[in-house]
Amino acid sequence: MRARRRVVGRLAAWSVLETAQTFLTGYALARALDAGFLAGRVDVGLGWLAAAALAVVVGAYGTGRVYGAVAALVEPLRDRLVRHVVERGVRDADRGALSRLTQQVEIARDTFAGLVMVSRSFVFTAAGALIGLFSLAPALLLVVAPPLVAGVALFTLTLRPLTRRQEAFLVADEELADRLGTVCPGLRDITAAGAEDPVAADAGARIAAEQCAARSLARWGVLRVVALAIGGQLPIVLLLATAPWLLAHGVTPGALVGALAYVTQSLLPALQNLIHGLGTSGSRLAVVLRRLAPDTPAPTKSSAPVNAPAPDTTPAPGPTPPGRPPAAVTLSSLTFAYGPASEPVIDGLDLSVPHGTHLAVVGPSGIGKSTLTALIAGLLAPTGGSVGIHPAPDRPGPDLPVPGHPGHPTRVLIPQEAYVFTGTLAENLGQLRPDRVPERELLAAAEAVGLSALLDRLGGPTAEVDPGALSSGERQLIALTRAYLARASLALLDEATCHLDPAAEERVERAFARRGGTLVVVAHRISSALRADRVLVMDGRRTEYGSHDDLLERSPLYRDLVGAWSPVGEAPAVPAAPPAHRPGTSHPALPLRDPDGVDTVAGAGLPRDRRHVVAYGPVGQMEASGDLRDGGPLGGQ
């Protein structure tokens, strides 16, 4: 509410109409009696009653406008809570996220709206009634105000204990429900194992704990009734008991009746709504918000908070040794897990990628290759360690810790599912450029990446693009050309060519290499690794980094990946391969009974295979028939 002072001001302005309505409820009645009916002037009495009726109509109009102001306060709170619940559910694999999203967020929204309404109503109603009492006779205020203040004060003192006991009751109820949900499906096993007594004792203890919490909550609930009696009903008794004294000291009969109207028609209902609203709904809101509030992050082994951006501990590049280019990307003890209880996908990775390097990232499916590119791009926050992006030598500027500064022109990520929007082709290709791309530069980029044929078929740069009419490969070519035209010195290709044939993929990668800057490619074909300067082999903590030849010598996983993809007719990628793996012989693409449960498929040497290898590896590493050089199927399959 502090952040939306303008909305609160509008809410207060419309609530003033209710103050006027409350004021006239008692004042108009008193004047109608004293100056009208008791004085024999019926017309005057009816006039004051008409004024009170008109005030009710005006107050109703103000109340209608109040709901709009309350919505302007409530809906942003709901949006903020929904965003937090979804983020925590995705990040921490929170099993309670669905309940929080569908029930607790709505409870918080509705309860907060109700609290704003009853609190606002009590404040402005009490103000109107107290002003009216003072206007009728100051002595009336001395009779009504002290018990009202005492009742509100007593109720205020019970709010915090009530909230704690409400939460204790809810926790005990949830624990009991959770335990019964575990016990009930296993009653037969409990009986068979003779475990009835300990299970019953445990359930009985939880039932007793909930009963104790309920009794404590009920005892504190009695104080709400006492507060309502003191603040709302005691003033009625005092007005009646002191009526002779008030009438003897100048209070008119009409003023006394108006005071009773103020208490019975305004103060008592407003106080009753406040006590029930804050006492019940307010406690629930406090409990729900505590459940929805961000958890206190626990430190990880790298002393970085879980699910929070790690501090930028990347050392400054410092002087670069002669002959060695400066680093473009530095990873220091990089760790990432998708939840506090999850195994790290990346664990303690240290890496330095020099500027101008063409790096290929390979490894089994699900090992964390796409996660690594998301961390470098700043889409994910490390749970440990740090990522540093350093400016290119020809682009001086401060080091860029990741995550941070989304959209920074230092880097560009092209994901597997390319994004193309409805608009002209030139608008799609120039999306990452702040200025308009000259047509000559746009055509040159299209020629370099291999988009020219599609560009001509669509009708040139000014042609309208229908994303639904494009194939996956065509959308990837558009996204790749868009990234090629960007000013970024670091390009991240996360299987961004998976829908292209090998020749088109090679053309794209060579175009980015000639473009300059640093290129990181998540490879889905081993040919990408053969074209790269350096290769990063990801296999959990057993990460290897080096050239293609170096990794063939020291990385068994890399040898397996290369061996499974060796084309027929070429020299084997692994030196001194067993005879079964030499070209021209028939061999299984994978060992028998491979752990992925994939049936083995024969490699080269089968009849009608046109001397091509079908690489049938783990999921995500299998070439489709369209990837074969002749574009045809193997044996009709």
Side-chain angles (χ1 to χ4, degrees), residues 576-589:
H581 286 272
R582 296 191 183 279
T585 62
S586 178
H587 61 272

Side-chain angles (χ1 to χ4, degrees), residues 311-387:
D312 181 25
T313 57
T314 307
T320 303
R324 182 183 300 176
V329 181
T330 54
L331 312 179
S332 299
S333 302
L334 182 63
T335 302
F336 180 82
Y338 282 98
S342 304
E343 288 292 327
V345 180
I346 299 173
D347 194 359
L349 177 60
D350 293 297
L351 182 66
S352 178
V353 182
H355 277 288
T357 301
H358 179 181
L359 172 67
V361 183
V362 300
S365 178
I367 203 63
K369 303 185 295 294
S370 295
T371 302
L372 177 63
T373 58
L375 287 165
I376 296 175
L379 301 179
L380 294 175
T383 53
S386 64
V387 180

